[in-house]
């Protein structure tokens, strides 16, 4: 199929449904839900897919709000990944350039997943319409993936075979620039440590007490010293989720913390994970308490695929980056000015560029929106040091991701500024741009066996040197 015809068909489909997609994204923003409880979001996406001719299977792998929607028959089978979970305690009024929660302590879409899920869905529908018209042959699949932030649904799906039989996978993420996902990502593991001690009167009979809070604090201190003796690209984060009560005159009989350990390499991750566990066990021995360790979830780093990346960046240039009017730029400027700790986005992008490209990228410094498409330099190194369970999907089939500028320049993910812009026309433009770019790339993969074969050969070669072993043990079930 001729490239311009593909592009026209993709743009016509996404533009025809733009009102539906915008309304769906805004409705998901209005009802932020977390960790397998994304009832509103999943129902909205399932409904749109069903109305557009997809057969939908819900409750994959026993996970609520996890679904597979499919249209077509035969090979190739191209899949899109949808995410739609929010972040806890990120509530924020839309379009407001000061911190103003709608509901204090409530969730909010600080990672733009209200846009992500709908953008991927729009791409899937565009490809479906091309199959229905006879312009393409094959099968398009749309996976609804809950709990990306806290539950690693995709890792469970990968472990249990739900991504088998796919020829390619495409996804995207809202960010503050347009470009290919830069390299890999960090693998991670999430653990809960529950200490149990013995309560006592802290003044009258302290010798009878065994403080779980003491044990937790000793564990944390041990981990602080451990940080000097792990690979420098390792990250260790924690949150104390139960300090054992509010009475200082009672020895705390319980205490709990959640730990997240990250590393680019699964072998390093496993080693550091075990050393953190030993810190907990040592703390329990020192305090005469016990500790229970719960394995919650884990995910692998992304396995890049240069063949699909090149096709995707070509599609992005063919569609063209969104441009903005004065009102949109004023909103972006106000949110940029409100950043407490701006990202250094252009610096990170330019690190991979040659001298001329680097100069061109840095010339955008000071702009309120990065309305250009970043140069593509293939790399395996995780330039953005975050984690995503899409990494496990990328270990099951050739996969590539893009980012689209849905946020003001230098906006960090998981910030209230990212929430505030999530219902704006800026965000909507990014979502539609991503949907068109993904759909055009999928159409090319379906239409060009040589491109798909090149992607598969690269995937096979990388998989031989980095064989996939799911980081979640077989007996662990999703933490719902």
């Amino acid at each position: 199929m001729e490239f311009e015809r593909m592009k026209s068909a993709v743009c016509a489909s996404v533009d025809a449904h733009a009102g539906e997609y915008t309304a769906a994204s805004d409705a998901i923003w209005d009802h932020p839900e977390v960790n397998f409880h994304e009832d509103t979001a999943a129902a909205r996406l399932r409904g749109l897919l069903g109305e557009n001719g997809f057969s939908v299977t819900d409750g994959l792998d026993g996970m609520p709000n996890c679904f597979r929607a499919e249209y077509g028959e035969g090979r190739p089978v191209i899949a899109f990944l949808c995410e739609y979970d929010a972040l806890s305690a990120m509530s924020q009024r839309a379009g407001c350039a000061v911190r103003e929660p709608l509901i204090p302590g409530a969730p909010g879409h600080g990672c733009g997943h209200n846009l992500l899920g709908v953008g991927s869905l729009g791409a899937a529908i565009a490809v479906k319409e091309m199959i229905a018209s006879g312009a393409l042959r094959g099968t398009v699949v749309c996976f609804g993936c809950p709990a990306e932030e806290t539950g690693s649904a995709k890792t469970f799906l990968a472990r249990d075979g739900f991504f088998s039989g796919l020829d390619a996978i495409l996804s995207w993420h809202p960010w503050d620039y347009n470009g290919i996902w830069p390299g890999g990502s960090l693998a991670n593991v999430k653990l809960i440590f529950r200490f149990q001690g013995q309560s006592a009167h802290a003044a009258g009979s302290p010798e009878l007490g065994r403080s779980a809070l003491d044990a937790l604090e000793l564990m944390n201190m041990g981990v602080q010293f451990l940080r000097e003796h792990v690979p420098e690209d390792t990250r260790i984060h924690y949150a104390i989720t139960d300090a054992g009560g509010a009475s200082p005159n009672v020895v705390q009989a319980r205490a709990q913390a959640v730990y997240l350990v990250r590393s680019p390499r699964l072998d390093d991750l496993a080693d550091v994970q075990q050393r953190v566990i030993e810190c907990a066990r040592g703390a329990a021995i020192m305090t005469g308490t016990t500790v229970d360790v719960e394995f919650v979830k884990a995910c692998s780093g992304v396995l890049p695929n240069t063949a699909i990346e090149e096709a995707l960046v070509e599609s992005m240039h063919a569609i063209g980056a969104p441009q903005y009017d004065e009102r949109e730029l004023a909103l972006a400027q106000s949110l940029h000015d409100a950043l407490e700790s701006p990202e250094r986005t252009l610096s990170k992008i330019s690190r991979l560029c040659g001298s001329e490209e680097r100069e061109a990228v840095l010339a955008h410094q000071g702009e309120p929106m990065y309305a250009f498409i970043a140069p593509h330099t293939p790399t395996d190194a995780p330039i953005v040091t975050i984690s995503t369970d899409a990494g496990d999907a990328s270990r099951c089939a050739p996969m590539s991701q893009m980012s689209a500028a849905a946020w003001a320049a230098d906006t960090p993910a998981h910030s209230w500024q990212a929430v505030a812009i999530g219902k704006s026309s800026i965000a909507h433009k990014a979502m539609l741009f991503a949907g068109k770019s993904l759909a055009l790339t999928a159409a090319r993969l379906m239409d060009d066996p040589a491109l798909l074969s090149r992607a598969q050969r690269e995937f096979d070669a990388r998989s031989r040197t980095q064989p996939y072993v799911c980081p979640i043990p077989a007996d662990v079930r999703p933490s719902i």
Side-chain angles (χ1 to χ4, degrees):
M1 184 180 180
E2 197 261 331
F3 183 84
E4 285 300 322
R5 284 180 56 211
M6 284 187 194
K7 174 184 167 183
S8 296
V10 161
C11 291
S13 171
V14 175
D15 289 340
H17 293 280
E20 297 172 67
Y21 299 156
T22 297
S25 173
D26 287 355
I28 295 169
W29 189 99
D30 287 336
H31 298 86
E33 301 155 315
V34 300
N35 198 35
F36 298 111
H37 297 285
E38 308 93 331
D39 301 336
T40 301
R44 190 81 182 224
L45 298 187
R46 289 195 308 267
L48 280 171
L49 289 161
E51 292 166 9
N52 282 277
F54 285 76
S55 61
V56 183
T57 303
D58 197 16
L60 295 188
D61 214 10
M63 291 184 284
N65 299 316
C66 187
F67 64 83
R68 174 186 172 120
E70 181 176 323
Y71 182 89
E73 58 183 9
R75 309 294 285 267
V77 182
I78 310 297
F80 298 95
L81 303 179
C82 295
E83 298 170 15
Y84 31 81
D85 59 327
L87 287 157
S88 60
M90 288 299 302
S91 178
Q92 168 65 25
R93 188 173 299 280
C96 181
V98 296
R99 184 71 169 108
E100 188 177 330
L102 283 168
I103 304 173
H109 276 284
C111 216
H113 291 179
N114 62 304
L115 303 163
L116 194 167
V118 179
S120 292
L121 171 146
I125 290 175
V127 174
K128 172 263 170 181
E129 291 177 352
M130 296 173 77
I131 295 173
S133 72
L136 294 174
R137 291 184 179 180
T139 304
V140 58
V141 178
C142 190
F143 283 98
C145 305
E148 188 274 335
E149 298 288 354
T150 54
S152 286
K154 298 186 202 68
T155 310
F156 287 101
L157 293 177
R159 184 193 68 181
D160 297 333
F162 287 88
F163 292 138
S164 62
L166 303 178
D167 291 298
I169 303 172
L170 294 168
S171 190
W172 77 289
H173 203 288
W175 216 259
D176 67 331
Y177 75 101
N178 305 300
I180 299 301
W181 183 275
S185 61
L186 299 183
N188 76 21
V189 61
K190 182 179 181 180
L191 305 166
I192 297 176
F193 295 88
R194 297 185 179 91
F195 290 89
Q196 188 67 42
Q198 176 64 49
S199 64
H201 194 294
S205 51
E207 71 280 3
L208 301 180
R210 300 292 182 267
S211 174
L213 183 58
D214 285 355
L216 178 53
E217 291 191 297
L218 280 168
M219 176 200 172
N220 290 342
M221 182 61 70
V223 172
Q224 307 316 328
F225 286 112
L226 176 63
R227 293 178 193 277
E228 183 183 359
H229 306 288
V230 298
E232 63 181 359
D233 49 9
T234 299
R235 306 283 200 271
I236 308 174
H237 328 291
Y238 71 94
I240 297 175
T241 52
D242 183 359
S247 299
N249 63 336
V250 177
V251 175
Q252 292 88 348
R254 69 179 193 280
Q256 177 176 300
V258 180
Y259 265 75
L260 197 65
V261 184
R262 306 183 198 250
S263 173
R265 297 162 299 278
L266 283 175
D267 53 350
D268 284 344
L269 180 66
D271 178 64
V272 176
Q273 170 190 333
Q274 188 58 39
R275 294 170 73 186
V276 169
I277 291 172
E278 293 302 325
C279 286
R281 290 173 175 163
I285 291 171
M286 285 189 284
T287 54
T289 62
T290 60
V291 62
D292 173 67
V293 184
E294 178 186 349
F295 189 111
V296 179
K297 62 100 175 180
C299 65
S300 304
V302 169
L303 192 68
N305 191 281
T306 302
I308 302 181
E309 289 174 1
E310 291 173 348
L312 185 50
V313 77
E314 289 169 4
S315 297
M316 295 172 70
H317 280 288
I319 298 300
Q323 301 300 303
Y324 309 101
D325 60 29
E326 290 184 6
R327 178 185 56 83
E328 292 167 330
L329 292 174
L331 172 61
Q333 186 69 62
S334 68
L335 288 167
H336 173 80
D337 292 344
L339 294 172
E340 297 89 353
S341 301
E343 284 278 4
R344 298 173 62 244
T345 299
L346 298 185
S347 175
K348 291 179 180 179
I349 294 172
S350 66
R351 267 189 264 160
L352 299 176
C353 297
S355 57
E356 290 187 11
E357 287 181 332
R358 184 180 302 114
E359 186 176 336
V361 167
L362 295 176
H364 293 281
Q365 195 71 52
E367 296 175 358
M369 288 294 303
Y370 292 141
F372 67 99
I373 297 172
H376 173 234
T377 304
T379 178
D380 288 4
I383 304 304
V384 179
T385 50
I386 62 173
S387 305
T388 170
D389 58 2
D392 292 271
S394 77
R395 307 285 170 153
C396 300
M399 190 189 87
S400 184
Q401 304 178 99
M402 61 172 282
S403 62
W407 308 332
D410 298 326
T411 297
H414 297 197
S415 64
W416 66 261
Q417 290 89 347
V419 187
I421 206 168
K423 287 181 73 175
S424 70
S425 56
I426 291 172
H428 299 152
K429 286 180 176 180
M431 175 181 69
L432 300 176
F433 168 63
K436 291 175 183 178
S437 300
L438 294 173
L440 182 54
T441 306
R444 292 183 63 195
L445 289 165
M446 280 190 163
D447 191 62
D448 186 351
L451 172 59
L452 194 58
S453 177
R454 190 161 71 250
Q456 185 64 56
R457 289 196 303 272
E458 180 183 348
F459 173 77
D460 291 342
R462 290 178 181 272
S463 297
R464 280 194 295 271
T465 59
Q466 303 178 57
Y468 179 55
V469 177
C470 183
I472 297 181
D475 61 340
V476 174
R477 299 305 305 162
S479 180
I480 300 170

